[in-house]
Amino acid sequence: MKVAHVLGHNSNWNVDIYNQQQVGDYFIITAFTHGLNFDDKNLIKKIRSKALLDLQFYGKNVNTKGGKLNEFPFHPCNQDDDEATNVYFITCVKQAIQFQINKKFDNVVIPLFYENEELSEIIRTIKEINEYVSNLKEKDNHRFFMTLPFANHLIIDKDKVEELLIECTDRNIIFDGYFITCENKPEFKKKLTTDIKIFRNLSRVFKTLKDQEFKTIYAYANWDALLYLSQTDIDLITVGSYENLRNFAISRFTEDISGGGSKGYYFSSKLMNMIKANDLTNIREQGQLNLIKNDKNIFSDIILRENFDWNIHKPDVNKNYLLAVTKLLKEISEIKNIDARKTYLLNLINDAIYNYDYLDKNKIYLDNESSNYHLSSWKTYLTNS
């Protein structure tokens, strides 16, 4: 298992922690942030040989405010109303493939649209693009990864997931693997989903594709990627600094949504959760900071200093997350036996539940995002899977 940084806003943080602390292995260049001339940026030049490009075709009706998708002439956000046909979109995908080949990407991420209702459209596009790639003269010099953007309504539907998997693993498929995104839609004031249907079906996706010897990339993953990694091998999992880089949502590409202000969050490996900066004050005053403090993490040491001025846009706040989650992913992936891997994660979950209980006993009550809202669902799912 390898880890890839998603390069969005403040991409220099990702490159810095890769170069200075050796965190991560690869990079995903996002078209929304870096635009058509990404190759001209000195920062991108430093990591270009280890990068993939996501052209982010997710929305057919794309909001481009604040983004650079419209710089790509073949991007469907440039469509006129009279061009919105399936033939037009297929042409866009083919041009996106050729663009990456011309740019000499070894690994080509084939963009695919998020479809809110029609699974048949996804399947038809996969078949047509599979035929196109099979006829490319350059196909032997590149690896091709078909994007599978799971809408929330699709990933919770077991029958639809099975139908899609049948098509994706057909013996005529020549893709090397799949670039998987999933719209989790966490509840209000929560960072992660607790929907066991998503746990079950997304795990099924990764396991089925690996059993059929496809490479798998889990893109825009949150730290609940640990759940899926504990049950099957995943070749590449992304880590991201900001919320929109680790919680896939189609609204990022179809609506003008501001992230809003925040002091930021402290990711604690010992609680397996994000803790609001304001909650750290109470934990500190009750003398329980060591209970949640990440071990062997220079960024954690910096941001837990008493007079640290918290802000979500400070690099050390985000680097703490990148380092802590990457360490957890690597620890689990290094366990080769899947049963032992699952047991290891269950032990981490039990330890986190114990730490939450200890905080409660010491009259430190955390709510909303900071609370223990997800661990029981994780434990229930893993124990019964």
Side-chain angles (χ1 to χ4, degrees):
M1 190 279 306
K2 302 294 185 183
V3 171
H5 292 275
V6 181
L7 298 182
H9 185 52
N10 287 324
S11 297
N12 56 302
W13 300 343
N14 303 85
V15 176
D16 286 348
I17 198 172
Y18 170 80
N19 286 326
Q20 297 168 16
Q21 281 79 31
Q22 293 75 54
V23 173
D25 306 285
Y26 294 97
F27 300 86
I28 308 289
I29 301 167
T30 57
F32 185 94
T33 298
H34 293 284
L36 180 64
N37 297 317
F38 60 88
D39 267 349
D40 295 337
K41 297 184 176 182
N42 288 331
L43 185 73
I44 299 299
K45 290 178 181 178
K46 294 177 182 178
I47 52 84
R48 180 64 166 77
S49 64
K50 289 184 171 291
L52 294 79
L53 174 66
D54 184 10
L55 288 163
Q56 300 179 306
F57 276 23
Y58 301 112
K60 289 185 177 180
N61 297 309
V62 179
N63 164 62
T64 59
K65 185 177 181 180
K68 299 181 178 182
L69 297 179
N70 60 344
E71 293 182 4
F72 297 88
F74 53 82
H75 200 287
C77 70
N78 293 309
Q79 67 173 317
D80 295 325
D81 289 340
D82 59 356
E83 292 179 315
T85 65
N86 192 63
V87 172
Y88 169 78
F89 293 125
I90 291 291
T91 300
C92 291
V93 174
K94 292 176 180 178
Q95 291 175 338
I97 293 170
Q98 197 59 54
F99 175 81
Q100 293 175 76
I101 290 174
N102 293 343
K103 287 287 187 178
K104 295 182 170 54
F105 281 97
D106 293 330
N107 300 296
V108 175
V109 178
I110 303 170
L112 184 60
F113 312 108
Y114 166 105
E115 290 286 350
N116 191 39
E117 296 297 337
E118 296 299 330
L119 178 59
S120 60
E121 288 295 315
I122 294 177
I123 292 172
R124 182 166 66 170
T125 302
I126 289 173
K127 288 181 175 180
E128 190 162 343
I129 295 302
N130 181 69
E131 182 178 358
Y132 171 76
V133 172
S134 68
N135 292 320
L136 282 174
K137 63 181 181 180
E138 304 97 339
K139 71 176 185 298
D140 294 333
N141 300 320
H142 301 267
R143 289 178 291 273
F144 295 89
F145 293 85
M146 188 74 209
T147 298
L148 289 182
F150 283 96
N152 184 261
H153 79 91
L154 173 56
I155 197 62
I156 64 175
D157 189 322
K158 181 180 179 181
D159 292 337
K160 288 184 178 179
V161 169
E162 287 298 322
E163 183 181 352
L164 183 57
L165 285 174
I166 289 171
E167 299 296 337
C168 289
T169 56
D170 184 88
R171 63 185 178 86
N172 293 319
I173 293 292
I174 59 91
F175 303 133
D176 296 276
Y178 288 92
F179 184 89
I180 298 158
T181 68
C182 182
E183 189 177 43
N184 287 286
K185 287 191 175 180
E187 295 179 5
F188 181 62
K189 290 193 174 181
K190 302 291 188 292
K191 297 289 186 186
L192 304 173
T193 184
T194 56
D195 191 336
I196 288 181
K197 294 190 296 296
I198 294 179
F199 299 163
R200 179 194 66 214
N201 294 338
L202 191 53
S203 292
R204 173 72 173 158
V205 169
F206 287 118
K207 187 174 189 307
T208 299
L209 293 175
K210 285 304 295 179
D211 285 348
Q212 297 299 316
E213 300 183 348
F214 289 100
K215 299 288 186 183
T216 52
I217 299 173
Y218 186 15
Y220 309 102
N222 231 321
W223 71 93
D224 55 1
L226 296 165
L227 269 181
Y228 309 112
L229 184 60
S230 73
Q231 296 180 91
T232 190
D233 291 325
I234 301 173
D235 295 286
L236 189 65
I237 297 176
T238 68
V239 291
S241 52
Y242 289 106
E243 183 80 9
N244 58 26
L245 303 177
R246 59 175 184 259
N247 183 18
F248 179 80
I250 188 60
S251 56
R252 171 167 167 74
F253 304 98
T254 59
E255 302 173 25
D256 179 19
I257 296 178
S258 171
S262 169
K263 284 190 174 181
Y265 295 82
Y266 176 80
F267 181 81
S268 168
S269 298
K270 294 178 181 177
L271 295 180
M272 302 197 79
N273 200 12
M274 292 279 199
I275 307 303
K276 289 180 291 186
N278 290 338
D279 288 329
L280 293 175
T281 302
N282 294 332
I283 296 173
R284 184 192 305 278
E285 288 179 351
Q286 298 302 318
Q288 299 301 331
L289 209 56
N290 282 337
L291 188 72
I292 71 164
K293 181 177 180 291
N294 293 328
D295 298 326
K296 298 180 180 179
N297 185 323
I298 185 176
F299 308 109
S300 170
D301 295 342
I302 292 170
I303 64 181
L304 288 183
R305 290 173 184 165
E306 188 164 0
N307 295 319
F308 182 77
D309 184 18
W310 274 83
N311 188 292
I312 196 171
H313 298 298
K314 291 203 168 180
D316 292 330
V317 172
N318 293 276
K319 289 180 180 180
N320 169 64
Y321 173 85
L322 296 172
L323 176 55
V325 172
T326 298
K327 286 174 67 174
L328 286 170
L329 290 169
K330 293 288 188 178
E331 286 172 11
I332 289 177
S333 69
E334 287 169 2
I335 302 170
K336 301 307 178 187
N337 181 276
I338 295 298
D339 288 337
R341 195 183 287 187
K342 186 166 72 170
T343 298
Y344 183 83
L345 181 57
L346 278 168
N347 287 336
L348 291 179
I349 293 170
N350 285 329
D351 289 345
I353 291 172
Y354 174 86
N355 290 334
Y356 267 108
D357 290 343
Y358 190 87
L359 290 173
D360 284 346
K361 289 175 183 177
N362 284 273
K363 300 180 181 179
I364 303 171
Y365 307 113
L366 304 177
D367 60 8
N368 296 326
E369 301 100 315
S370 301
S371 68
N372 176 10
Y373 65 89
H374 60 302
L375 295 175
S376 294
S377 296
W378 285 20
K379 184 175 180 179
T380 298
Y381 170 69
L382 283 179
T383 303
N384 292 282
S385 64

